[in-house]
């Protein structure tokens, strides 16, 4: 492996710091997981994952697949691995495949969330729903796939990500305009529940 910065280690690159050493869990099954550590699908990597779960069940893992980016806790990954003899059960998209599994440079999943998929979040926003906090993997529904395909067909020159970000900022503006401006005359202003609040599944 070359020693260049993987795209997700921008934090170290921006600070001019060396990227943490890259290693694979089967090299030392007792070593605590650290940033830039990778898991392969061998039995020793599964043993290393089980040891990590015993120490720190909420260690975050980044799953890069052909069509998605997912974050999962080590505990959920081990559960899926033991029940299905692989990690593919973590994937959101049908017929997707895992490229690699590693420890990201920061742990973005907060309790009780154990699973996050970039594509799933986009599909929920596209459907006008608030993204849910998930403890188990979701699978893309046919309706969600159809909605996404239709949007992409209607907007060949736009990026779905940009559209969803624009919708978010519009809803934020509405929130401020509806409740946050104007004289309150000493009354408490009741804000609408923010759109970024997360539903719990
Ligand atoms: Zn391995």
């Amino acid at each position: 492996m070359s020693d260049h910065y993987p795209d997700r280690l921008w934090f170290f690159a921006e600070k001019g710091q060396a990227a943490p050493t890259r290693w694979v869990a089967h090299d030392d099954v007792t070593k605590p997981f650290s940033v830039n550590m990778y898991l392969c699908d061998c039995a020793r990597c599964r043993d290393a994952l089980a040891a990590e779960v015993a120490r720190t069940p909420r260690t975050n893992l980044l799953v890069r697949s052909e069509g998605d980016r997912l974050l999962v806790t080590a505990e959920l990954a081990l559960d899926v691995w033991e029940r299905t003899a692989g990690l593919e059960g973590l994937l959101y998209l049908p017929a997707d495949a895992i490229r690699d599994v590693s420890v990201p440079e920061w742990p973005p999943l907060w309790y009780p969330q154990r699973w996050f998929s970039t594509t799933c979040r986009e599909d929920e926003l596209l459907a006008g729903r608030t993204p849910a906090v998930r403890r188990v993997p979701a699978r893309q529904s046919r309706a969600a796939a159809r909605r996404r395909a239709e949007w992409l067909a209607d907007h060949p020159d736009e990026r779905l990500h940009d559209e969803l970000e624009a919708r978010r900022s519009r809803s934020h503006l509405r929130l401020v305009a509806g409740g946050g401006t104007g004289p309150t005359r000493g009354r408490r202003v009741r804000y609408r529940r923010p759109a970024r609040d997360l539903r719990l599944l």
Side-chain angles (χ1 to χ4, degrees), residues 43-54:
R44 280 176 62 81
C45 277
R46 194 192 55 223
D47 292 346
L49 179 60
E52 179 68 11
V53 169

Side-chain angles (χ1 to χ4, degrees), residues 24-26 39-45:
V24 185
H26 56 225
L39 277 176
C40 80
D41 57 1
C42 77
R44 280 176 62 81
C45 277

